[in-house]
Amino acid sequence: MTRRLLTAAVLALGLCAPLAPQAQTSGSSAADPGDWRHAATLVGEPKYEPGFAHFDYVNPDAPKVGLARLGAMGTFDNFNVILAGVRGNLGAGLGLVYETLMTPSLDEPLTDYGLVAEAMRFPEDYSSVTFRLDPDARWHDGAPITAQDVIWSFETLVASSPMMQSYYADVVAAEETAEGEVTFRFAVAGNKELPKIMGQLLVLPKHWWTDPARAADRTSLERPLGSGPYRLADYSPGRSITYERVPDAWAVDHPTNVGTYNFDTIRYEYFRDESVMLEAFKGDAYDFRVEVSARDWAQGYDFPARQRGAVVLESFPMLASGRMQAFVPNLRQERFRDERVRRALNYAFDFEDINRTIFFGAYERIDSFFEGTDLAATGLPEGRELEILEAYRGRIPDSVFTEVWTNPTSGDPQARRANLREADRLLREAGWVVEGGRRVHAETGEPFDIELLLDLPSHERYALPYAQALERLGIRLDVRIVDSAQYQNRLRAFDFDLVTQLWPQSLSPGNEQRDMWGSRAANKPGSQNYAGIENPVVDELIERLVRADTREELVATTRALDRVLLHNDYVVPHWFLAEQRTARWNRFSHPEVMPRYAGAAFPTVWWYDAEKARETGAAR
């Protein structure tokens, strides 16, 4: 999916890259504002020249008809994107309503093109960035999009969201420097990421939000005003949200939009149970699903519609992002601050057996915080990465220099017993002994009981075997499943012992790392530093990463950061799959050559194919 199909919180993540230095005019200086440019990229030059007709991966003649239905888990009680990730459960698909200053190309890495802003420029020292708004840009009510809208959006989002505060921490001012131009000024020079990530800013209508009839600091189910390809047309509380295409939206013929957003209507159908959700798909209650269950992928689609070709399974490579998914212990609790305890929790997790018995051997174990990218640390540190790490020798584990970090491996009874013995040794060293079959603290007698907080019943499949392994160590793991609203509230308040979390990563990480691992975010409610990591070296590496001068420096620094995070055993890594598994009713078509960096990109580049639907028996 493209950025607009994500929630506003995800829209603001660091899916971006530092800008490659580009040629300046003769005699340019640090104060020179630079040349206007239509795109920003990391690698070389943008693929598409100014005035391009459309992206290569779209069908510019795709019909603009039909309905696309997607499934969503949980519920919703809020359409106010300002509070995304802060309060309430945001409705799915709201990114369809809004636009950003720049928008990504999906067939080249980390490249954005002008949208609400037709052009951008910044000085050689990256101390600011100026965006020139497209004079044709309009809200759905016909009002022009102004520089004041952009400034208000920035100031309001930062004031409302801890994540935004970390992400835009180096931005000290936003001002209208000419008619239709907005300049963002930065606290420090040299942060090459900032000009580009400012282009990701979600633009909101100031005149609508500042109306006395509404408040930006309250959740709301009022249909919002936007400027994007769709408007929110209807909803059924907790059950569905329907978006309708805006045929006269200002950017309908914009080069970045040609051949995209081809459905008249997009609807999200909500479900409270994953099994019910799958059965609803089989019953044609919605059209397209991303399958995250290895069991269901292997066994759940043997039904008549699939057999006759009315339902299609297809996998798409995931090349644009990395990830860390893991059990996350709460380091704000004293017992989890001991690295030996955290390492013991990893020794108790038998991934190989779970992968074989539950996941049909579909996954590989995650062994990097940037899994799936060239940013992952491998082998022993060398070259520039080693030089960076040497500056922190004595402040980071010695093992960083002498050992390749690996997860414990198991999969057979002998290895399993050996891992549990090592876990027992580590726990005893940390002061946790066994008395009467229970793991207790040697000095206080406190029992070592853990509550694993989950929001989906299907996660019990891997949680219960983990609980059984911990029980053999005298640790009681209670698996508690709560509804999505309670789960989000407890997560934001860091009210948990152990949770399962996923951190997505871009091909060029930067400012967002502060919110994931930075000390300032550790006790800031709503941040992504779920573990509560407070490590000065991690903080310093993040700042080095943000200010990396070259791609080579960025890669070396990220690998150094990865290595320090791994050798502190902050999490118990899970598993990954380098592709996106999808199932769909066979009534849609997609371009023959799909965008390289977007997975399935549904519904962005797809269209309703009535002839195919008739041929496959998938016609409604």
Side-chain angles (χ1 to χ4, degrees):
M1 295 186 183
T2 67
R3 195 176 295 146
R4 288 186 218 145
L5 296 184
L6 305 175
T7 67
V10 177
L11 283 171
L13 290 179
L15 307 182
C16 59
L19 292 162
Q22 299 185 16
Q24 299 290 325
T25 57
S26 176
S28 65
S29 67
D32 191 323
D35 297 327
W36 289 108
R37 60 193 74 193
H38 73 297
T41 186
L42 168 66
V43 183
E45 297 293 327
K47 175 181 178 179
Y48 299 95
E49 298 289 338
F52 69 97
H54 57 76
F55 292 133
D56 290 345
Y57 53 80
V58 303
N59 173 10
D61 300 316
K64 302 281 188 180
V65 297
L67 165 68
R69 302 169 300 170
L70 298 97
M73 275 297 298
T75 187
F76 65 91
D77 60 8
N78 180 32
F79 295 145
N80 180 355
V81 296
I82 296 168
L83 299 180
V86 178
R87 195 176 309 146
N89 290 300
L90 198 69
L94 279 167
L96 294 165
V97 176
Y98 297 103
E99 293 173 316
T100 47
L101 291 168
M102 311 279 285
T103 194
S105 161
L106 304 181
D107 63 347
E108 48 187 327
L110 304 161
T111 303
D112 289 349
Y113 291 83
L115 184 58
V116 172
E118 64 178 3
M120 66 180 299
R121 66 181 181 184
F122 48 86
E124 194 173 71
D125 67 353
Y126 302 95
S127 59
S128 67
V129 63
T130 299
F131 293 95
R132 186 177 70 210
L133 304 188
D134 191 316
D136 293 330
R138 294 287 186 277
W139 300 108
H140 292 156
D141 65 0
I145 299 178
T146 68
Q148 290 304 309
D149 289 321
V150 176
I151 294 169
W152 185 89
S153 300
F154 168 75
E155 292 176 346
T156 303
L157 289 168
V158 168
S160 303
S161 168
M163 186 188 71
M164 294 287 194
Q165 291 162 17
S166 295
Y167 196 51
Y168 294 125
D170 287 341
V171 184
V172 295
E175 56 192 46
E176 185 171 7
T177 46
E179 185 176 359
E181 294 183 12
V182 179
T183 296
F184 296 95
R185 304 194 187 280
F186 307 145
V188 294
N191 186 336
K192 297 176 176 61
E193 183 181 44
L194 274 176
K196 190 168 185 294
I197 68 172
M198 294 314 303
Q200 298 175 352
L201 182 68
L202 197 72
V203 184
L204 305 171
K206 178 182 179 180
H207 70 285
W208 192 84
W209 279 105
T210 55
D211 187 301
R214 56 186 61 89
D217 61 351
R218 293 201 300 264
T219 59
S220 171
L221 286 175
E222 182 179 7
R223 296 172 179 83
L225 175 69
S227 63
Y230 290 84
R231 62 166 60 96
L232 202 163
D234 196 12
Y235 68 93
S236 177
R239 297 180 60 184
S240 67
I241 306 174
T242 301
Y243 299 90
E244 63 181 10
R245 188 167 57 85
V246 182
D248 60 349
W250 79 272
V252 67
D253 295 321
H254 194 276
T256 63
N257 282 340
V258 171
T260 67
Y261 306 108
N262 300 310
F263 297 99
D264 282 332
T265 308
I266 297 175
R267 180 181 304 144
Y268 289 83
E269 303 285 355
Y270 273 80
F271 301 89
R272 301 293 184 92
D273 181 270
E274 290 178 299
S275 297
V276 172
M277 189 174 180
L278 175 58
E279 293 306 312
F281 172 79
K282 295 178 183 179
D284 200 9
Y286 62 101
D287 300 304
F288 183 97
R289 65 183 268 119
V290 174
E291 185 53 73
V292 297
S293 167
R295 179 189 62 185
D296 289 340
W297 185 251
Q299 299 180 333
Y301 292 91
D302 185 18
F303 63 106
R306 163 86 192 285
Q307 294 164 359
R308 69 173 187 266
V311 167
V312 175
L313 305 188
E314 187 173 4
S315 294
F316 299 87
M318 296 293 290
L319 303 175
S321 63
R323 82 285 292 161
M324 166 56 81
Q325 179 180 304
F327 288 123
V328 184
N330 190 344
L331 273 66
R332 301 165 190 86
Q333 298 180 13
E334 183 66 33
R335 56 185 174 164
F336 293 127
R337 292 176 187 167
D338 193 312
E339 182 273 336
R340 293 167 296 186
V341 170
R342 303 193 299 270
R343 185 66 174 171
L345 293 179
N346 199 349
Y347 270 102
F349 183 54
D350 189 346
F351 162 75
E352 287 76 16
D353 190 61
I354 290 173
N355 192 38
R356 176 179 60 83
T357 59
I358 297 176
F359 296 147
F360 299 85
Y363 298 113
E364 297 179 42
R365 188 84 190 268
I366 288 175
D367 58 8
S368 168
F369 280 77
F370 302 87
E371 188 67 59
T373 73
D374 66 345
L375 304 165
T378 58
L380 291 174
E382 58 184 17
R384 179 57 183 153
E385 181 191 352
L386 179 58
E387 292 177 7
I388 293 170
L389 289 168
E390 284 288 358
Y392 304 104
R393 189 182 284 271
R395 300 173 61 198
I396 57 179
D398 291 339
S399 58
V400 166
F401 301 97
T402 60
E403 300 175 17
V404 177
W405 188 93
T406 59
N407 286 294
T409 57
S410 185
D412 63 71
Q414 183 176 353
R416 191 175 304 119
R417 287 193 295 269
N419 284 345
L420 290 177
R421 284 196 297 270
E422 178 63 11
D424 176 66
R425 184 188 70 81
L426 289 167
L427 288 166
R428 289 180 183 275
E429 279 190 6
W432 295 92
V433 299
V434 177
E435 294 182 359
R438 294 288 303 279
R439 184 74 58 173
V440 299
H441 196 274
E443 295 181 2
T444 67
E446 173 194 357
F448 203 129
D449 297 338
I450 304 173
E451 179 187 81
L452 172 59
L453 187 68
L454 301 172
D455 62 343
L456 293 174
S458 63
H459 290 182
E460 282 187 310
R461 290 182 298 128
Y462 64 80
L464 293 180
Y466 191 37
Q468 292 168 2
L470 289 171
E471 186 177 9
R472 296 180 63 184
L473 292 170
I475 297 173
R476 185 173 69 193
L477 180 72
D478 294 325
V479 179
R480 183 175 182 188
I481 300 171
V482 298
D483 62 50
S484 60
Q486 185 178 358
Y487 181 83
Q488 289 300 323
N489 287 335
R490 289 189 59 179
L491 195 65
R492 290 168 190 156
F494 307 126
D495 179 19
F496 61 85
D497 298 339
L498 189 69
V499 292
T500 287
Q501 269 303 313
L502 168 68
W503 289 277
Q505 294 286 0
S506 80
L507 296 180
S508 187
N511 287 19
E512 76 287 346
Q513 303 300 304
R514 295 167 174 158
D515 195 58
M516 294 175 175
W517 331 115
S519 297
R520 291 185 179 180
N523 295 296
K524 184 180 291 185
S527 83
Q528 295 180 85
N529 190 347
Y530 307 113
I533 297 170
E534 295 182 83
N535 185 324
V537 173
V538 169
D539 295 337
E540 292 172 32
L541 285 170
I542 291 172
E543 295 311 307
R544 291 184 72 144
L545 174 62
V546 167
R547 290 167 176 80
D549 292 324
T550 65
R551 177 68 183 176
E552 291 74 20
E553 184 73 8
L554 181 140
V555 171
T557 307
T558 305
R559 289 175 178 172
L561 172 62
D562 186 29
R563 209 176 291 272
V564 171
L565 291 170
L566 288 170
H567 281 262
N568 277 284
D569 287 290
Y570 288 126
V571 300
V572 178
H574 280 183
W575 47 85
F576 79 101
L577 183 69
E579 62 182 16
Q580 187 180 55
R581 300 172 298 207
T582 71
R584 68 179 184 271
W585 282 84
N586 199 4
R587 52 178 68 108
F588 307 103
S589 288
H590 62 68
E592 182 177 349
V593 178
M594 290 290 283
R596 179 175 174 80
Y597 298 103
F602 187 90
T604 309
V605 300
W606 297 63
W607 61 91
Y608 183 77
D609 191 325
E611 181 177 354
K612 177 184 288 186
R614 288 192 298 270
E615 291 175 352
T616 62
R620 290 194 183 98

